[in-house]
Amino acid sequence: MYPKELRSKIAKGEFTRPTAGECPGYIQMNMVALPREYAKRFEAFAKENSKAIPVLEIIHEGHLSKVLAPGADILNEIPKYNILKDGVVVETVTDITPYYNPDLVFFLIGCSFSFETALIENGMPLRHVDQQKNVAMYRTNIALKPVEGFAGEMVVSMRPIKKEKVADACVVTSHFPRMHGSPIQVGYPEMIGINDVSKPDYGDAIEIKADEIPLFWPCGVTPQNVITAMKLPFAITHAPGHMFVTDKKDSEYYE
Amino acid sequence: MYPKELRSKIAKGEFTRPTAGECPGYIQMNMVALPREYAKRFEAFAKENSKAIPVLEIIHEGHLSKVLAPGADILNEIPKYNILKDGVVVETVTDITPYYNPDLVFFLIGCSFSFETALIENGMPLRHVDQQKNVAMYRTNIALKPVEGFAGEMVVSMRPIKKEKVADACVVTSHFPRMHGSPIQVGYPEMIGINDVSKPDYGDAIEIKADEIPLFWPCGVTPQNVITAMKLPFAITHAPGHMFVTDKKDSEYYE
């Protein structure tokens, strides 16, 4: 399925699953929408924390993508959205048209799903993709650099990798610096404040077999964690794992 | 000390130590010298196994480097050499002039010492450098691709890396593909046939602290292991850890 077809199904409400493994070869994006009064400060914050929050497109006027998927409507071409009030998810919806107003600024943020095709093609099959599950995500104790009142801790995604392929996984993903790049932690969840790897804070629990170790990458769910910690009055985000699938190819972001 | 000065001291017999940590920023080379009748086949073998045996210069006529350290004499500007007969080290010397004949072909092979400056500069201090020891090296069960009668197993070097820096170590060293590049194994020596990491086959034993794990890189001592396994009638190599220090900068080999 081409991204355009998938997004068309999403717009019609026919696809509401996590997007891991969909449209292999095309990059996927996290989304954060904020009222203008917060957007400028968030942009500065993201710039200082670009390993966790790499911003690839900002939609200032209207609600159509111009760069990553020209013409795609950000209001209903993502499978699921979270509506946050005072930092709390009050609703999960498949269409945010009722919440739209021209004051909203949309940020599209690099996502580690974008390097999964490269991992698979380099001999690292991914269990959450094979099982059509969501990736496992965790809050950590890794502090972000505070900027203009924005502050908080990093969220990470986890993928179990065969012990003999750990170096390959680090190297392959390092070639996608705008999609979080190389892992932030290899093999020791407790070092970043994850006490029980079988209980993710977002997404699905993913088994780690005896011949594998868990690798952790910065995750674009980080802004949601920050918005919650800061109790921002209003924000909209994608629902974790339910991404904006773009028309851009992975290979364009390989550095 | 500049490489030229170090090589001059070596030629005078004033420096006979391992070269790890010497002349930071300059690349260091493994050396293998073979009679012409074996050299062509070895060259083909090395090409097929270039992660372990990346050949950077071949000296066919005479004994002076033309590329990596123009004018340097390969016969006495390496701190220590091994003389191998029927695959066995029969002597370790500091000058191979008595063994020279025009039939010998010299191979200069990339060495992981060349990326150590990059590791240190990226916040990964190296214990063997700090303690002025030789790096720890091990025979493994990783089979090389056999070519024209040459065959054998890979030798690896080991460096303990802080748990939180493992991904960085993989990524930093991957930028030096002609110096073995990224690790071949991360954290599990038993998976590559190393049963006791405290007992290296070459070099010095290096402590691994509780907050570190051992990373293993392909090593340019691999040809010596092959020569021994094949019981080649005659060969000369550098003594493990005692490298040919060139005039070329690391940065020229960063890719």
Side-chain angles (χ1 to χ4, degrees):
Chain A
M1 198 152 39
Y2 283 104
K4 212 177 175 113
E5 297 174 67
L6 178 66
R7 290 197 310 267
S8 161
K9 289 184 81 166
I10 291 169
K12 290 182 211 148
E14 294 168 8
F15 184 105
T16 56
R17 289 203 314 273
T19 52
E22 298 297 330
C23 305
Y26 291 90
I27 62 166
Q28 306 198 4
M29 291 284 120
N30 302 275
M31 193 279 286
V32 173
L34 294 172
R36 197 174 307 270
E37 65 170 307
Y38 297 106
K40 261 284 159 230
R41 291 158 53 196
F42 177 75
E43 191 179 342
F45 174 68
K47 202 164 275 175
E48 286 296 322
N49 293 283
S50 64
K51 189 156 169 83
I53 317 175
V55 174
L56 271 75
E57 182 176 359
I58 303 175
I59 304 172
H60 278 288
E61 283 161 28
H63 46 86
L64 302 181
S65 167
K66 291 187 182 72
V67 179
L68 297 171
D73 192 338
I74 205 76
L75 301 183
N76 65 8
E77 297 193 26
I78 288 177
K80 271 186 194 161
Y81 304 81
N82 282 340
I83 313 295
L84 292 96
K85 288 189 177 156
D86 299 324
V88 177
V89 177
V90 292
E91 207 179 347
T92 297
V93 299
T94 58
D95 187 336
I96 55 169
T97 309
Y99 293 93
Y100 178 69
N101 74 63
D103 186 54
L104 276 181
V105 179
F106 298 87
F107 293 86
L108 295 175
I109 296 163
C111 168
S112 57
F113 287 179
S114 308
F115 57 53
E116 292 190 334
T117 303
L119 286 171
I120 293 165
E121 284 177 353
N122 282 280
M124 289 162 271
L126 298 174
R127 187 157 299 120
H128 69 283
V129 174
D130 293 341
Q131 299 184 344
Q132 290 208 344
K133 285 186 178 171
N134 201 344
V135 73
M137 292 165 273
Y138 307 83
R139 286 193 277 268
T140 71
N141 61 13
I142 303 170
L144 299 161
K145 195 170 164 187
V147 177
E148 300 196 35
F150 276 79
E153 279 94 36
M154 193 183 293
V155 174
V156 295
S157 63
M158 185 279 287
R159 291 164 187 80
I161 298 286
K162 290 243 186 279
K163 288 171 179 173
E164 69 268 27
K165 297 294 267 179
V166 169
D168 288 353
C170 296
V171 172
V172 166
T173 58
S174 76
H175 287 292
F176 296 90
R178 287 176 289 174
M179 308 295 162
H180 306 301
S182 56
I184 195 90
Q185 223 296 318
V186 172
Y188 297 89
E190 65 280 10
M191 289 189 74
I192 52 175
I194 300 170
N195 296 318
D196 187 348
V197 84
S198 72
K199 291 187 182 138
D201 296 302
Y202 307 95
D204 293 319
I206 299 293
E207 185 194 6
I208 303 167
K209 302 206 172 188
D211 62 346
E212 298 170 337
I213 69 171
L215 270 61
F216 299 90
W217 282 267
C219 176
V221 173
T222 299
Q224 306 197 21
N225 204 32
V226 169
I227 288 163
T228 296
M230 292 171 66
K231 303 191 171 113
L232 273 201
F234 184 74
I236 305 175
T237 70
H238 72 290
H242 301 71
M243 317 307 291
F244 182 59
V245 180
T246 77
D247 294 335
K248 293 280 184 184
K249 297 217 163 201
D250 305 345
S251 49
E252 286 185 57
Y253 294 84
Y254 182 97
E255 290 179 21
Chain B
M1 197 153 36
Y2 283 103
K4 214 179 172 112
E5 296 173 68
L6 178 65
R7 291 197 308 268
S8 160
K9 288 184 82 166
I10 292 168
K12 289 184 211 147
E14 293 167 8
F15 184 104
T16 55
R17 288 202 314 273
T19 51
E22 298 296 330
C23 305
Y26 291 90
I27 62 165
Q28 304 198 5
M29 292 284 121
N30 302 276
M31 194 278 287
V32 174
L34 295 172
R36 195 173 308 270
E37 63 170 306
Y38 296 106
K40 261 283 160 229
R41 291 159 54 196
F42 177 75
E43 192 179 342
F45 174 68
K47 202 165 276 177
E48 286 296 323
N49 293 283
S50 64
K51 188 154 170 86
I53 317 175
V55 174
L56 271 75
E57 182 176 0
I58 303 176
I59 304 172
H60 279 287
E61 283 160 28
H63 46 84
L64 301 182
S65 168
K66 291 185 181 73
V67 179
L68 297 171
D73 193 338
I74 205 74
L75 301 181
N76 64 11
E77 297 193 27
I78 288 176
K80 270 186 196 163
Y81 305 81
N82 282 342
I83 313 295
L84 291 95
K85 287 187 176 159
D86 299 324
V88 177
V89 177
V90 292
E91 206 179 349
T92 297
V93 299
T94 58
D95 187 334
I96 55 169
T97 308
Y99 293 92
Y100 178 70
N101 73 63
D103 186 53
L104 276 181
V105 179
F106 298 87
F107 293 87
L108 295 174
I109 295 163
C111 169
S112 56
F113 288 180
S114 308
F115 58 54
E116 292 189 334
T117 303
L119 286 171
I120 294 164
E121 285 177 353
N122 282 280
M124 290 161 272
L126 298 173
R127 186 157 301 120
H128 70 282
V129 173
D130 293 342
Q131 298 183 345
Q132 291 209 342
K133 284 185 179 172
N134 201 344
V135 73
M137 292 164 272
Y138 306 83
R139 286 192 280 267
T140 71
N141 61 11
I142 303 170
L144 299 161
K145 193 171 166 187
V147 176
E148 300 196 33
F150 276 79
E153 279 92 39
M154 193 183 291
V155 174
V156 295
S157 63
M158 186 280 288
R159 292 164 185 80
I161 298 287
K162 291 245 186 277
K163 287 171 179 174
E164 69 269 25
K165 298 293 267 179
V166 168
D168 288 354
C170 295
V171 173
V172 165
T173 57
S174 77
H175 287 292
F176 296 91
R178 288 176 287 175
M179 306 298 162
H180 306 300
S182 56
I184 194 90
Q185 225 295 317
V186 172
Y188 297 89
E190 65 278 11
M191 289 191 73
I192 53 174
I194 300 170
N195 296 317
D196 187 349
V197 83
S198 72
K199 290 185 183 142
D201 296 302
Y202 307 96
D204 293 320
I206 299 294
E207 185 193 5
I208 302 168
K209 301 207 171 184
D211 62 347
E212 298 170 337
I213 68 170
L215 269 63
F216 299 90
W217 281 267
C219 175
V221 173
T222 299
Q224 305 197 22
N225 204 33
V226 169
I227 288 163
T228 296
M230 292 172 64
K231 301 192 172 111
L232 273 201
F234 184 74
I236 304 175
T237 71
H238 72 289
H242 300 71
M243 316 308 290
F244 181 60
V245 181
T246 77
D247 294 337
K248 294 280 184 184
K249 297 218 162 196
D250 305 346
S251 49
E252 286 186 57
Y253 293 84
Y254 181 97
E255 290 179 21

